[in-house]
Amino acid sequence: MSEPPTKSTSRARSPRAVRKVIDENGEEKEVEERPWGEPEQDAHVRSLYKSEKLLGDVLYRLNLFMLASQHYAYLNNALFTTPSIIITSIASFLSFMAATDPARSKEISLSVGFLGTLATIVTALQSSYKYDTMAETFRAAAAEYRLLNTRINSMMRKERVYPEEWEKLWDEIESRMTEMQKKMSYFPNRDLVDNWARAGKLSEKTMSGSMMPPWLIRYQQD
């Protein structure tokens, strides 16, 4: 009797999935998708938890510098910019009045001179306190932390992120935060920071850390 034909054990390989990534030169390329097993999934979950903690720190600094920018911009406008505009406007009006009323020109000229001196003092105080420079510095820092916030959130929304991608994100954020700290020549007043913290203006409720993130619930130990 002839033996039954044996089945071939070799099978055609199914095409591997590919994904698009951005390389160091900013060019898009396709790389082969690696298997997504338990080790990769566990590493991904740990990185998500780490990124959530980092996001809380980024949001804290974002709120801090945003509030500081608004506070010092208000002080600069209330104490220096607005009074300077008002004083200069009154001085201009009195100068016009002196030209139309020669009989009182001496008294009016004296008032104009006083207002000009007052405007000079206000301008000198503005340059000394530098509230406008501080407001702009804090505004730029808040804008940078807003970009970091967007960068972390976009990574956390991805279904699959491999360890090397997380490491690249950590290195990028560390580098950018270090550069920002080097540029910070001013810091908010400590009492202001304490008041904002007591008022709950510096932290996000969703990032308080009191509740387990949704992606960690199935990893909770009994």
mmCIF file with all atom_site columns, all heavy atoms in Angstrom, residues 21-37:
data_model
loop_
_atom_site.group_PDB
_atom_site.id
_atom_site.type_symbol
_atom_site.label_atom_id
_atom_site.label_alt_id
_atom_site.label_comp_id
_atom_site.label_asym_id
_atom_site.label_entity_id
_atom_site.label_seq_id
_atom_site.pdbx_PDB_ins_code
_atom_site.Cartn_x
_atom_site.Cartn_y
_atom_site.Cartn_z
_atom_site.occupancy
_atom_site.B_iso_or_equiv
_atom_site.pdbx_formal_charge
_atom_site.auth_seq_id
_atom_site.auth_comp_id
_atom_site.auth_asym_id
_atom_site.auth_atom_id
_atom_site.pdbx_PDB_model_num
ATOM 1   N N   . VAL A 1 21 ? 7.196  55.939 11.762 1.00 0.00 ? 21 VAL A N   1
ATOM 2   C CA  . VAL A 1 21 ? 7.843  56.683 12.838 1.00 0.00 ? 21 VAL A CA  1
ATOM 3   C C   . VAL A 1 21 ? 8.614  57.839 12.234 1.00 0.00 ? 21 VAL A C   1
ATOM 4   O O   . VAL A 1 21 ? 8.883  57.872 11.028 1.00 0.00 ? 21 VAL A O   1
ATOM 5   C CB  . VAL A 1 21 ? 8.794  55.784 13.666 1.00 0.00 ? 21 VAL A CB  1
ATOM 6   C CG1 . VAL A 1 21 ? 8.027  54.660 14.337 1.00 0.00 ? 21 VAL A CG1 1
ATOM 7   C CG2 . VAL A 1 21 ? 9.895  55.214 12.780 1.00 0.00 ? 21 VAL A CG2 1
ATOM 8   N N   . ILE A 1 22 ? 8.974  58.777 13.064 1.00 0.00 ? 22 ILE A N   1
ATOM 9   C CA  . ILE A 1 22 ? 9.778  59.920 12.658 1.00 0.00 ? 22 ILE A CA  1
ATOM 10  C C   . ILE A 1 22 ? 11.178 59.717 13.189 1.00 0.00 ? 22 ILE A C   1
ATOM 11  O O   . ILE A 1 22 ? 11.372 59.544 14.406 1.00 0.00 ? 22 ILE A O   1
ATOM 12  C CB  . ILE A 1 22 ? 9.184  61.242 13.186 1.00 0.00 ? 22 ILE A CB  1
ATOM 13  C CG1 . ILE A 1 22 ? 7.709  61.377 12.747 1.00 0.00 ? 22 ILE A CG1 1
ATOM 14  C CG2 . ILE A 1 22 ? 9.991  62.426 12.694 1.00 0.00 ? 22 ILE A CG2 1
ATOM 15  C CD1 . ILE A 1 22 ? 7.511  61.444 11.263 1.00 0.00 ? 22 ILE A CD1 1
ATOM 16  N N   . ASP A 1 23 ? 12.168 59.728 12.304 1.00 0.00 ? 23 ASP A N   1
ATOM 17  C CA  . ASP A 1 23 ? 13.539 59.510 12.736 1.00 0.00 ? 23 ASP A CA  1
ATOM 18  C C   . ASP A 1 23 ? 14.158 60.792 13.258 1.00 0.00 ? 23 ASP A C   1
ATOM 19  O O   . ASP A 1 23 ? 13.491 61.824 13.377 1.00 0.00 ? 23 ASP A O   1
ATOM 20  C CB  . ASP A 1 23 ? 14.375 58.919 11.593 1.00 0.00 ? 23 ASP A CB  1
ATOM 21  C CG  . ASP A 1 23 ? 14.433 59.853 10.386 1.00 0.00 ? 23 ASP A CG  1
ATOM 22  O OD1 . ASP A 1 23 ? 14.046 61.025 10.521 1.00 0.00 ? 23 ASP A OD1 1
ATOM 23  O OD2 . ASP A 1 23 ? 14.875 59.407 9.310  1.00 0.00 ? 23 ASP A OD2 1
ATOM 24  N N   . GLU A 1 24 ? 15.442 60.738 13.615 1.00 0.00 ? 24 GLU A N   1
ATOM 25  C CA  . GLU A 1 24 ? 16.129 61.888 14.208 1.00 0.00 ? 24 GLU A CA  1
ATOM 26  C C   . GLU A 1 24 ? 16.236 63.062 13.248 1.00 0.00 ? 24 GLU A C   1
ATOM 27  O O   . GLU A 1 24 ? 16.374 64.212 13.678 1.00 0.00 ? 24 GLU A O   1
ATOM 28  C CB  . GLU A 1 24 ? 17.534 61.472 14.653 1.00 0.00 ? 24 GLU A CB  1
ATOM 29  C CG  . GLU A 1 24 ? 17.529 60.421 15.760 1.00 0.00 ? 24 GLU A CG  1
ATOM 30  C CD  . GLU A 1 24 ? 18.924 60.004 16.159 1.00 0.00 ? 24 GLU A CD  1
ATOM 31  O OE1 . GLU A 1 24 ? 19.873 60.472 15.492 1.00 0.00 ? 24 GLU A OE1 1
ATOM 32  O OE2 . GLU A 1 24 ? 19.070 59.231 17.126 1.00 0.00 ? 24 GLU A OE2 1
ATOM 33  N N   . ASN A 1 25 ? 16.181 62.795 11.946 1.00 0.00 ? 25 ASN A N   1
ATOM 34  C CA  . ASN A 1 25 ? 16.266 63.870 10.947 1.00 0.00 ? 25 ASN A CA  1
ATOM 35  C C   . ASN A 1 25 ? 14.911 64.467 10.609 1.00 0.00 ? 25 ASN A C   1
ATOM 36  O O   . ASN A 1 25 ? 14.812 65.313 9.721  1.00 0.00 ? 25 ASN A O   1
ATOM 37  C CB  . ASN A 1 25 ? 16.930 63.346 9.670  1.00 0.00 ? 25 ASN A CB  1
ATOM 38  C CG  . ASN A 1 25 ? 18.345 62.851 9.917  1.00 0.00 ? 25 ASN A CG  1
ATOM 39  O OD1 . ASN A 1 25 ? 19.058 63.440 10.727 1.00 0.00 ? 25 ASN A OD1 1
ATOM 40  N ND2 . ASN A 1 25 ? 18.739 61.787 9.240  1.00 0.00 ? 25 ASN A ND2 1
ATOM 41  N N   . GLY A 1 26 ? 13.863 63.997 11.302 1.00 0.00 ? 26 GLY A N   1
ATOM 42  C CA  . GLY A 1 26 ? 12.526 64.521 11.052 1.00 0.00 ? 26 GLY A CA  1
ATOM 43  C C   . GLY A 1 26 ? 11.849 63.913 9.842  1.00 0.00 ? 26 GLY A C   1
ATOM 44  O O   . GLY A 1 26 ? 10.807 64.406 9.398  1.00 0.00 ? 26 GLY A O   1
ATOM 45  N N   . GLU A 1 27 ? 12.410 62.816 9.309  1.00 0.00 ? 27 GLU A N   1
ATOM 46  C CA  . GLU A 1 27 ? 11.825 62.171 8.143  1.00 0.00 ? 27 GLU A CA  1
ATOM 47  C C   . GLU A 1 27 ? 10.992 60.971 8.575  1.00 0.00 ? 27 GLU A C   1
ATOM 48  O O   . GLU A 1 27 ? 11.325 60.255 9.514  1.00 0.00 ? 27 GLU A O   1
ATOM 49  C CB  . GLU A 1 27 ? 12.928 61.723 7.184  1.00 0.00 ? 27 GLU A CB  1
ATOM 50  C CG  . GLU A 1 27 ? 13.773 62.874 6.638  1.00 0.00 ? 27 GLU A CG  1
ATOM 51  C CD  . GLU A 1 27 ? 14.861 62.380 5.720  1.00 0.00 ? 27 GLU A CD  1
ATOM 52  O OE1 . GLU A 1 27 ? 14.996 61.142 5.579  1.00 0.00 ? 27 GLU A OE1 1
ATOM 53  O OE2 . GLU A 1 27 ? 15.577 63.226 5.140  1.00 0.00 ? 27 GLU A OE2 1
ATOM 54  N N   . GLU A 1 28 ? 9.893  60.764 7.853  1.00 0.00 ? 28 GLU A N   1
ATOM 55  C CA  . GLU A 1 28 ? 8.992  59.660 8.178  1.00 0.00 ? 28 GLU A CA  1
ATOM 56  C C   . GLU A 1 28 ? 9.468  58.385 7.485  1.00 0.00 ? 28 GLU A C   1
ATOM 57  O O   . GLU A 1 28 ? 9.809  58.395 6.298  1.00 0.00 ? 28 GLU A O   1
ATOM 58  C CB  . GLU A 1 28 ? 7.570  60.000 7.728  1.00 0.00 ? 28 GLU A CB  1
ATOM 59  C CG  . GLU A 1 28 ? 6.527  58.976 8.164  1.00 0.00 ? 28 GLU A CG  1
ATOM 60  C CD  . GLU A 1 28 ? 5.124  59.363 7.742  1.00 0.00 ? 28 GLU A CD  1
ATOM 61  O OE1 . GLU A 1 28 ? 4.860  59.344 6.521  1.00 0.00 ? 28 GLU A OE1 1
ATOM 62  O OE2 . GLU A 1 28 ? 4.312  59.699 8.601  1.00 0.00 ? 28 GLU A OE2 1
ATOM 63  N N   . LYS A 1 29 ? 9.497  57.279 8.236  1.00 0.00 ? 29 LYS A N   1
ATOM 64  C CA  . LYS A 1 29 ? 9.891  56.002 7.660  1.00 0.00 ? 29 LYS A CA  1
ATOM 65  C C   . LYS A 1 29 ? 9.053  54.894 8.283  1.00 0.00 ? 29 LYS A C   1
ATOM 66  O O   . LYS A 1 29 ? 8.443  55.058 9.340  1.00 0.00 ? 29 LYS A O   1
ATOM 67  C CB  . LYS A 1 29 ? 11.379 55.742 7.894  1.00 0.00 ? 29 LYS A CB  1
ATOM 68  C CG  . LYS A 1 29 ? 11.761 55.584 9.354  1.00 0.00 ? 29 LYS A CG  1
ATOM 69  C CD  . LYS A 1 29 ? 13.243 55.284 9.495  1.00 0.00 ? 29 LYS A CD  1
ATOM 70  C CE  . LYS A 1 29 ? 13.618 55.059 10.960 1.00 0.00 ? 29 LYS A CE  1
ATOM 71  N NZ  . LYS A 1 29 ? 15.053 54.748 11.127 1.00 0.00 ? 29 LYS A NZ  1
ATOM 72  N N   . GLU A 1 30 ? 9.033  53.736 7.585  1.00 0.00 ? 30 GLU A N   1
ATOM 73  C CA  . GLU A 1 30 ? 8.262  52.594 8.047  1.00 0.00 ? 30 GLU A CA  1
ATOM 74  C C   . GLU A 1 30 ? 9.188  51.588 8.710  1.00 0.00 ? 30 GLU A C   1
ATOM 75  O O   . GLU A 1 30 ? 10.261 51.278 8.185  1.00 0.00 ? 30 GLU A O   1
ATOM 76  C CB  . GLU A 1 30 ? 7.519  51.940 6.891  1.00 0.00 ? 30 GLU A CB  1
ATOM 77  C CG  . GLU A 1 30 ? 6.397  52.798 6.319  1.00 0.00 ? 30 GLU A CG  1
ATOM 78  C CD  . GLU A 1 30 ? 5.624  52.065 5.242  1.00 0.00 ? 30 GLU A CD  1
ATOM 79  O OE1 . GLU A 1 30 ? 6.100  50.984 4.814  1.00 0.00 ? 30 GLU A OE1 1
ATOM 80  O OE2 . GLU A 1 30 ? 4.559  52.560 4.836  1.00 0.00 ? 30 GLU A OE2 1
ATOM 81  N N   . VAL A 1 31 ? 8.783  51.089 9.873  1.00 0.00 ? 31 VAL A N   1
ATOM 82  C CA  . VAL A 1 31 ? 9.545  50.049 10.565 1.00 0.00 ? 31 VAL A CA  1
ATOM 83  C C   . VAL A 1 31 ? 8.614  48.886 10.845 1.00 0.00 ? 31 VAL A C   1
ATOM 84  O O   . VAL A 1 31 ? 7.391  49.033 10.959 1.00 0.00 ? 31 VAL A O   1
ATOM 85  C CB  . VAL A 1 31 ? 10.142 50.583 11.894 1.00 0.00 ? 31 VAL A CB  1
ATOM 86  C CG1 . VAL A 1 31 ? 11.124 51.682 11.633 1.00 0.00 ? 31 VAL A CG1 1
ATOM 87  C CG2 . VAL A 1 31 ? 9.040  51.062 12.834 1.00 0.00 ? 31 VAL A CG2 1
ATOM 88  N N   . GLU A 1 32 ? 9.199  47.703 10.965 1.00 0.00 ? 32 GLU A N   1
ATOM 89  C CA  . GLU A 1 32 ? 8.407  46.505 11.190 1.00 0.00 ? 32 GLU A CA  1
ATOM 90  C C   . GLU A 1 32 ? 7.860  46.479 12.607 1.00 0.00 ? 32 GLU A C   1
ATOM 91  O O   . GLU A 1 32 ? 8.567  46.759 13.573 1.00 0.00 ? 32 GLU A O   1
ATOM 92  C CB  . GLU A 1 32 ? 9.274  45.270 10.925 1.00 0.00 ? 32 GLU A CB  1
ATOM 93  C CG  . GLU A 1 32 ? 8.470  43.986 10.864 1.00 0.00 ? 32 GLU A CG  1
ATOM 94  C CD  . GLU A 1 32 ? 9.347  42.801 10.510 1.00 0.00 ? 32 GLU A CD  1
ATOM 95  O OE1 . GLU A 1 32 ? 10.586 42.910 10.667 1.00 0.00 ? 32 GLU A OE1 1
ATOM 96  O OE2 . GLU A 1 32 ? 8.807  41.780 10.085 1.00 0.00 ? 32 GLU A OE2 1
ATOM 97  N N   . GLU A 1 33 ? 6.597  46.166 12.717 1.00 0.00 ? 33 GLU A N   1
ATOM 98  C CA  . GLU A 1 33 ? 5.933  46.104 14.018 1.00 0.00 ? 33 GLU A CA  1
ATOM 99  C C   . GLU A 1 33 ? 6.397  44.873 14.780 1.00 0.00 ? 33 GLU A C   1
ATOM 100 O O   . GLU A 1 33 ? 6.332  43.753 14.276 1.00 0.00 ? 33 GLU A O   1
ATOM 101 C CB  . GLU A 1 33 ? 4.417  46.059 13.837 1.00 0.00 ? 33 GLU A CB  1
ATOM 102 C CG  . GLU A 1 33 ? 3.634  46.249 15.121 1.00 0.00 ? 33 GLU A CG  1
ATOM 103 C CD  . GLU A 1 33 ? 3.434  47.704 15.445 1.00 0.00 ? 33 GLU A CD  1
ATOM 104 O OE1 . GLU A 1 33 ? 3.497  48.546 14.549 1.00 0.00 ? 33 GLU A OE1 1
ATOM 105 O OE2 . GLU A 1 33 ? 3.203  48.002 16.625 1.00 0.00 ? 33 GLU A OE2 1
ATOM 106 N N   . ARG A 1 34 ? 6.893  45.055 15.983 1.00 0.00 ? 34 ARG A N   1
ATOM 107 C CA  . ARG A 1 34 ? 7.318  43.921 16.783 1.00 0.00 ? 34 ARG A CA  1
ATOM 108 C C   . ARG A 1 34 ? 6.119  43.292 17.488 1.00 0.00 ? 34 ARG A C   1
ATOM 109 O O   . ARG A 1 34 ? 5.085  43.937 17.683 1.00 0.00 ? 34 ARG A O   1
ATOM 110 C CB  . ARG A 1 34 ? 8.330  44.379 17.839 1.00 0.00 ? 34 ARG A CB  1
ATOM 111 C CG  . ARG A 1 34 ? 9.593  44.977 17.273 1.00 0.00 ? 34 ARG A CG  1
ATOM 112 C CD  . ARG A 1 34 ? 10.734 44.845 18.282 1.00 0.00 ? 34 ARG A CD  1
ATOM 113 N NE  . ARG A 1 34 ? 10.353 45.331 19.592 1.00 0.00 ? 34 ARG A NE  1
ATOM 114 C CZ  . ARG A 1 34 ? 10.518 46.605 19.965 1.00 0.00 ? 34 ARG A CZ  1
ATOM 115 N NH1 . ARG A 1 34 ? 11.014 47.493 19.129 1.00 0.00 ? 34 ARG A NH1 1
ATOM 116 N NH2 . ARG A 1 34 ? 10.171 46.987 21.183 1.00 0.00 ? 34 ARG A NH2 1
ATOM 117 N N   . PRO A 1 35 ? 6.242  42.028 17.881 1.00 0.00 ? 35 PRO A N   1
ATOM 118 C CA  . PRO A 1 35 ? 5.134  41.389 18.612 1.00 0.00 ? 35 PRO A CA  1
ATOM 119 C C   . PRO A 1 35 ? 4.823  42.161 19.898 1.00 0.00 ? 35 PRO A C   1
ATOM 120 O O   . PRO A 1 35 ? 5.719  42.667 20.571 1.00 0.00 ? 35 PRO A O   1
ATOM 121 C CB  . PRO A 1 35 ? 5.672  39.984 18.913 1.00 0.00 ? 35 PRO A CB  1
ATOM 122 C CG  . PRO A 1 35 ? 6.746  39.757 17.902 1.00 0.00 ? 35 PRO A CG  1
ATOM 123 C CD  . PRO A 1 35 ? 7.353  41.100 17.639 1.00 0.00 ? 35 PRO A CD  1
ATOM 124 N N   . TRP A 1 36 ? 3.566  42.220 20.226 1.00 0.00 ? 36 TRP A N   1
ATOM 125 C CA  . TRP A 1 36 ? 3.111  42.963 21.412 1.00 0.00 ? 36 TRP A CA  1
ATOM 126 C C   . TRP A 1 36 ? 2.661  41.956 22.461 1.00 0.00 ? 36 TRP A C   1
ATOM 127 O O   . TRP A 1 36 ? 1.531  41.505 22.488 1.00 0.00 ? 36 TRP A O   1
ATOM 128 C CB  . TRP A 1 36 ? 1.977  43.900 21.027 1.00 0.00 ? 36 TRP A CB  1
ATOM 129 C CG  . TRP A 1 36 ? 1.507  44.806 22.125 1.00 0.00 ? 36 TRP A CG  1
ATOM 130 C CD1 . TRP A 1 36 ? 0.392  44.660 22.885 1.00 0.00 ? 36 TRP A CD1 1
ATOM 131 C CD2 . TRP A 1 36 ? 2.137  46.008 22.578 1.00 0.00 ? 36 TRP A CD2 1
ATOM 132 N NE1 . TRP A 1 36 ? 0.274  45.686 23.789 1.00 0.00 ? 36 TRP A NE1 1
ATOM 133 C CE2 . TRP A 1 36 ? 1.339  46.531 23.632 1.00 0.00 ? 36 TRP A CE2 1
ATOM 134 C CE3 . TRP A 1 36 ? 3.292  46.679 22.227 1.00 0.00 ? 36 TRP A CE3 1
ATOM 135 C CZ2 . TRP A 1 36 ? 1.665  47.703 24.285 1.00 0.00 ? 36 TRP A CZ2 1
ATOM 136 C CZ3 . TRP A 1 36 ? 3.609  47.843 22.892 1.00 0.00 ? 36 TRP A CZ3 1
ATOM 137 C CH2 . TRP A 1 36 ? 2.805  48.344 23.912 1.00 0.00 ? 36 TRP A CH2 1
ATOM 138 N N   . GLY A 1 37 ? 3.596  41.566 23.321 1.00 0.00 ? 37 GLY A N   1
ATOM 139 C CA  . GLY A 1 37 ? 3.295  40.572 24.336 1.00 0.00 ? 37 GLY A CA  1
ATOM 140 C C   . GLY A 1 37 ? 3.142  41.194 25.708 1.00 0.00 ? 37 GLY A C   1
ATOM 141 O O   . GLY A 1 37 ? 3.078  42.416 25.873 1.00 0.00 ? 37 GLY A O   1
#
